[in-house]
Structure formats: C-alpha cells, structure tokens
Amino acid sequence: MRDKYATRHDKYCYAGTDILINLLHIHDADKLARAEAAFTAERYLTYKSTISSIEEFTLDHLKHLHFHLFQDIYSWAGKIRDVDISKGHTRFCTSSRIEPEAKKLFGRLPELSTITNRSQLIESVADLFCEINLLHPFREGNGRVQRLFFEEMLFILDYELIWPSISRQQWLEANIAGVHMNLSPLIHIFDQAISRHIQS
C-alpha cells in the first residue's frame, strides 16, 4: 500500500519508495492494498473476543487487535509507531506522547458504562473516537483497528454498532470535522450505527 501519510522514505518503507515494507514482499501499491484488505477481512471474521468488562479496553487491547488484523502483512503489527505522521493538514500525536496521552484517553472509557441516556452516550462515543483517531498509534491500519475496538466495546456495553453505508469521502470528512471541533458529522454517523443489543 502506498504511504498515505506525510512521512516518506522512513524505515517503514522500501528504500526509495513510499510503499510500506511488508511480509509478503509486495512492491506494487495496488497489489499490496488488495492483499491487506483480503487478509485483514479474514482476520476480522475469525476474531473471537475474550473481553468481559469495559475496564479491559486499554491501549494494550488496541495493540492486540492491531496485531490480530495485520499480523499477516506487517512485522510491526501491534506495535506503536516511532515516527511522527500527518495527513493533509492533520498532524497526529507525536510518537513520544502516544503512551501518556493514551493512558489519559483510555482511562475515560469506563465512564461510558455509567451513561444511561442514548444521546449522551452517542456524543461521548463520538468524542472519544475522534480523540483516539488523533492519537493514531500505528504506522498503518488505525481506522480498521479503531472501528473493531469500538464495535467490541459497544457490545460489552450492551449496544450493537453497525456502520452505516456511507462513502469513504463522507467518513473522511466527518473525521476531519471532528479534528476541527465539529463533532456533528461523527455524532450523526454513530446515531445511525448504535442500537441496543437485543438478547436472544
């Protein structure tokens, strides 16, 4: 996959290219993107959760999920990046600050279990999603692993999260708006996505 961040020719890329070094030794960007999509889709389907409480949703668990999804593609799956990255006009968390900032952010997650009002829950989830997105702890695959993390977390809170059918552009614009302190688009997406889990 061609590097989509503004960090080119770092140790994560093949020399003289913007293609991420991968376990499949693929040097073609489109071919790597297809392989990445196929492998992570299969790993997503085979994931079996062992989580039983909201307190277990930590940075370590996010790292575990990232390893699960990307273990077939990248040797650094599940490992925090050690380079600084940005995308467009968005600068993500400085690599040296990821661990301390994550500790503060993930420490807020148990508060979600005390919220009984659906609208308040959706606003809080949108806010936390935006903040964790700005953390962007991995060199690649942040969006996929974060969505899986939130699906699992909402399930533990007795909700179901099914992502609505929106375009990639709409999703990107919602996340960019969140960076600029406008959570309305993300709130709208989560309002469509979150419903009470119905016990069978």
Side-chain angles (χ1 to χ4, degrees):
M1 147 171 298
R2 183 165 285 115
D3 181 16
K4 60 178 174 282
Y5 299 110
T7 304
R8 299 181 61 177
H9 312 308
D10 63 24
K11 70 174 189 177
Y12 292 92
C13 295
Y14 289 110
T17 78
D18 59 356
I19 296 174
L20 294 168
I21 297 169
N22 60 89
L23 296 172
L24 304 174
H25 307 294
I26 296 173
H27 291 253
D28 177 83
D30 292 335
K31 185 176 180 181
L32 179 57
R34 291 193 297 272
E36 187 184 282
F39 276 104
T40 56
E42 181 62 25
R43 288 293 185 182
Y44 174 88
L45 292 174
T46 62
Y47 176 67
K48 296 186 185 303
S49 178
T50 59
I51 294 289
S52 60
S53 70
I54 186 67
E55 286 76 18
E56 295 175 76
F57 287 89
T58 61
L59 178 61
D60 280 342
H61 184 57
L62 188 71
K63 288 159 66 176
H64 168 72
L65 292 180
H66 190 273
F67 175 79
H68 178 80
L69 290 179
F70 292 92
Q71 60 185 292
D72 306 293
I73 310 294
Y74 302 118
S75 62
W76 41 264
K79 296 177 183 177
I80 300 300
R81 61 179 164 85
D82 56 8
V83 296
D84 293 338
I85 59 176
S86 62
K87 186 176 182 181
H89 298 293
T90 302
R91 288 188 59 81
F92 297 109
C93 185
T94 302
S95 59
S96 62
R97 293 295 307 166
I98 290 173
E99 298 269 0
E101 294 301 326
K103 186 175 181 180
K104 291 187 288 187
L105 272 176
F106 287 88
R108 292 169 50 194
L109 295 181
E111 298 171 7
L112 295 174
S113 64
T114 67
I115 301 174
T116 56
N117 179 275
R118 182 177 181 276
S119 295
Q120 185 183 349
L121 176 78
I122 289 169
E123 289 181 16
S124 296
V125 167
D127 179 51
L128 284 163
F129 190 93
C130 181
E131 292 295 328
I132 294 174
N133 181 51
L134 280 172
L135 198 66
H136 239 62
F138 308 107
R139 185 62 178 78
E140 170 62 29
N142 292 280
R144 268 167 286 192
V145 72
Q146 192 174 334
R147 288 190 291 273
L148 175 56
F149 183 91
F150 272 73
E151 288 170 22
E152 186 181 19
M153 183 180 69
L154 268 295
F155 184 84
I156 289 295
L157 294 173
D158 203 28
Y159 287 88
E160 186 173 37
L161 194 162
I162 300 177
W163 301 102
S165 297
I166 59 174
S167 69
R168 176 179 174 79
Q169 187 61 31
Q170 287 174 294
W171 176 247
L172 289 174
E173 288 174 357
N175 280 278
I176 291 170
V179 171
H180 295 288
M181 310 300 291
N182 176 15
L183 288 174
S184 296
L186 276 176
I187 289 172
H188 179 67
I189 290 171
F190 279 108
D191 187 37
Q192 297 176 74
I194 294 174
S195 60
R196 269 291 181 185
H197 181 68
I198 300 174
Q199 301 289 342
S200 57

